[in-house]
PDB file of all heavy atoms in Angstrom:
ATOM      1  N   SER A   2       4.256 103.421  90.051  1.00  0.00           N
ATOM      2  CA  SER A   2       4.375 104.413  91.130  1.00  0.00           C
ATOM      3  C   SER A   2       4.383 105.840  90.588  1.00  0.00           C
ATOM      4  O   SER A   2       4.160 106.786  91.328  1.00  0.00           O
ATOM      5  CB  SER A   2       5.687 104.179  91.873  1.00  0.00           C
ATOM      6  OG  SER A   2       6.787 104.454  91.022  1.00  0.00           O
ATOM      7  N   ALA A  37      -0.295  83.346  94.863  1.00  0.00           N
ATOM      8  CA  ALA A  37      -1.529  82.609  94.542  1.00  0.00           C
ATOM      9  C   ALA A  37      -1.241  81.486  93.545  1.00  0.00           C
ATOM     10  O   ALA A  37      -1.898  80.444  93.576  1.00  0.00           O
ATOM     11  CB  ALA A  37      -2.570  83.575  93.983  1.00  0.00           C
ATOM     12  N   PRO A 105      16.873  63.838  96.851  1.00  0.00           N
ATOM     13  CA  PRO A 105      16.779  62.465  97.344  1.00  0.00           C
ATOM     14  C   PRO A 105      15.351  61.946  97.179  1.00  0.00           C
ATOM     15  O   PRO A 105      14.389  62.714  97.304  1.00  0.00           O
ATOM     16  CB  PRO A 105      17.146  62.603  98.831  1.00  0.00           C
ATOM     17  CG  PRO A 105      17.094  64.056  99.150  1.00  0.00           C
ATOM     18  CD  PRO A 105      17.139  64.836  97.877  1.00  0.00           C
ATOM     19  N   ALA A 122      11.486  62.486 104.970  1.00  0.00           N
ATOM     20  CA  ALA A 122      11.730  63.914 104.759  1.00  0.00           C
ATOM     21  C   ALA A 122      10.839  64.437 103.636  1.00  0.00           C
ATOM     22  O   ALA A 122      10.580  63.734 102.662  1.00  0.00           O
ATOM     23  CB  ALA A 122      13.188  64.150 104.401  1.00  0.00           C
ATOM     24  N   TYR A 127      10.694  77.431  99.477  1.00  0.00           N
ATOM     25  CA  TYR A 127      10.204  78.750  99.899  1.00  0.00           C
ATOM     26  C   TYR A 127       9.144  79.167  98.883  1.00  0.00           C
ATOM     27  O   TYR A 127       9.314  78.961  97.678  1.00  0.00           O
ATOM     28  CB  TYR A 127      11.336  79.776  99.889  1.00  0.00           C
ATOM     29  CG  TYR A 127      12.344  79.531 100.976  1.00  0.00           C
ATOM     30  CD1 TYR A 127      13.571  78.929 100.692  1.00  0.00           C
ATOM     31  CD2 TYR A 127      12.081  79.895 102.285  1.00  0.00           C
ATOM     32  CE1 TYR A 127      14.501  78.688 101.687  1.00  0.00           C
ATOM     33  CE2 TYR A 127      13.006  79.661 103.291  1.00  0.00           C
ATOM     34  CZ  TYR A 127      14.208  79.060 102.990  1.00  0.00           C
ATOM     35  OH  TYR A 127      15.118  78.821 103.988  1.00  0.00           O
ATOM     36  N   LEU A 140      21.806  90.140  82.886  1.00  0.00           N
ATOM     37  CA  LEU A 140      20.939  88.971  82.659  1.00  0.00           C
ATOM     38  C   LEU A 140      21.429  87.779  83.487  1.00  0.00           C
ATOM     39  O   LEU A 140      20.659  87.150  84.219  1.00  0.00           O
ATOM     40  CB  LEU A 140      20.926  88.607  81.164  1.00  0.00           C
ATOM     41  CG  LEU A 140      20.109  87.362  80.809  1.00  0.00           C
ATOM     42  CD1 LEU A 140      18.619  87.604  81.034  1.00  0.00           C
ATOM     43  CD2 LEU A 140      20.345  86.928  79.361  1.00  0.00           C
ATOM     44  N   VAL A 159      12.249  89.387  90.544  1.00  0.00           N
ATOM     45  CA  VAL A 159      13.614  89.880  90.339  1.00  0.00           C
ATOM     46  C   VAL A 159      13.597  91.403  90.305  1.00  0.00           C
ATOM     47  O   VAL A 159      12.803  92.001  89.576  1.00  0.00           O
ATOM     48  CB  VAL A 159      14.201  89.372  88.996  1.00  0.00           C
ATOM     49  CG1 VAL A 159      15.641  89.853  88.823  1.00  0.00           C
ATOM     50  CG2 VAL A 159      14.130  87.858  88.907  1.00  0.00           C
ATOM     51  N   LEU A 181       4.871  81.718  81.994  1.00  0.00           N
ATOM     52  CA  LEU A 181       5.418  81.735  83.361  1.00  0.00           C
ATOM     53  C   LEU A 181       5.185  83.060  84.087  1.00  0.00           C
ATOM     54  O   LEU A 181       5.727  83.272  85.180  1.00  0.00           O
ATOM     55  CB  LEU A 181       6.926  81.437  83.313  1.00  0.00           C
ATOM     56  CG  LEU A 181       7.318  80.005  82.928  1.00  0.00           C
ATOM     57  CD1 LEU A 181       8.829  79.885  82.753  1.00  0.00           C
ATOM     58  CD2 LEU A 181       6.836  79.017  83.985  1.00  0.00           C
ATOM     59  N   GLU A 231      25.913  87.391  97.726  1.00  0.00           N
ATOM     60  CA  GLU A 231      27.100  87.227  96.873  1.00  0.00           C
ATOM     61  C   GLU A 231      27.637  88.624  96.620  1.00  0.00           C
ATOM     62  O   GLU A 231      27.048  89.398  95.858  1.00  0.00           O
ATOM     63  CB  GLU A 231      26.714  86.558  95.545  1.00  0.00           C
ATOM     64  CG  GLU A 231      26.219  85.132  95.698  1.00  0.00           C
ATOM     65  CD  GLU A 231      27.338  84.135  95.973  1.00  0.00           C
ATOM     66  OE1 GLU A 231      28.532  84.496  95.820  1.00  0.00           O
ATOM     67  OE2 GLU A 231      27.024  83.001  96.354  1.00  0.00           O
ATOM     68  N   ALA A 244      56.134  78.841  87.279  1.00  0.00           N
ATOM     69  CA  ALA A 244      55.014  79.021  86.340  1.00  0.00           C
ATOM     70  C   ALA A 244      55.498  79.197  84.914  1.00  0.00           C
ATOM     71  O   ALA A 244      56.552  79.788  84.668  1.00  0.00           O
ATOM     72  CB  ALA A 244      54.190  80.242  86.753  1.00  0.00           C
ATOM     73  N   ASN A 295      36.283  98.667  72.357  1.00  0.00           N
ATOM     74  CA  ASN A 295      35.317  98.395  71.272  1.00  0.00           C
ATOM     75  C   ASN A 295      34.699  99.724  70.818  1.00  0.00           C
ATOM     76  O   ASN A 295      33.501  99.841  70.642  1.00  0.00           O
ATOM     77  CB  ASN A 295      34.265  97.352  71.681  1.00  0.00           C
ATOM     78  CG  ASN A 295      33.294  97.836  72.743  1.00  0.00           C
ATOM     79  OD1 ASN A 295      33.385  98.974  73.215  1.00  0.00           O
ATOM     80  ND2 ASN A 295      32.353  96.986  73.116  1.00  0.00           N
ATOM     81  N   PHE A 365      36.983  97.180  90.587  1.00  0.00           N
ATOM     82  CA  PHE A 365      35.984  96.961  89.542  1.00  0.00           C
ATOM     83  C   PHE A 365      36.386  97.649  88.232  1.00  0.00           C
ATOM     84  O   PHE A 365      35.568  98.230  87.541  1.00  0.00           O
ATOM     85  CB  PHE A 365      34.613  97.457  90.015  1.00  0.00           C
ATOM     86  CG  PHE A 365      33.534  96.408  89.872  1.00  0.00           C
ATOM     87  CD1 PHE A 365      33.698  95.146  90.410  1.00  0.00           C
ATOM     88  CD2 PHE A 365      32.344  96.676  89.200  1.00  0.00           C
ATOM     89  CE1 PHE A 365      32.720  94.165  90.279  1.00  0.00           C
ATOM     90  CE2 PHE A 365      31.361  95.712  89.060  1.00  0.00           C
ATOM     91  CZ  PHE A 365      31.550  94.446  89.599  1.00  0.00           C
ATOM     92  N   SER A 442      26.243  77.631  98.705  1.00  0.00           N
ATOM     93  CA  SER A 442      26.738  77.823  97.340  1.00  0.00           C
ATOM     94  C   SER A 442      25.575  78.027  96.372  1.00  0.00           C
ATOM     95  O   SER A 442      24.548  77.359  96.473  1.00  0.00           O
ATOM     96  CB  SER A 442      27.528  76.590  96.915  1.00  0.00           C
ATOM     97  OG  SER A 442      27.814  76.656  95.537  1.00  0.00           O
ATOM     98  N   ALA A 470       4.314  56.779 131.304  1.00  0.00           N
ATOM     99  CA  ALA A 470       5.690  56.370 130.995  1.00  0.00           C
ATOM    100  C   ALA A 470       6.691  57.423 131.454  1.00  0.00           C
ATOM    101  O   ALA A 470       7.883  57.145 131.580  1.00  0.00           O
ATOM    102  CB  ALA A 470       5.835  56.137 129.488  1.00  0.00           C
TER     103      ALA A 470
END
Side-chain angles (χ1 to χ4, degrees):
S2 66
Y127 290 102
L140 177 67
V159 182
L181 290 173
E231 295 285 348
N295 69 0
F365 233 53
S442 170

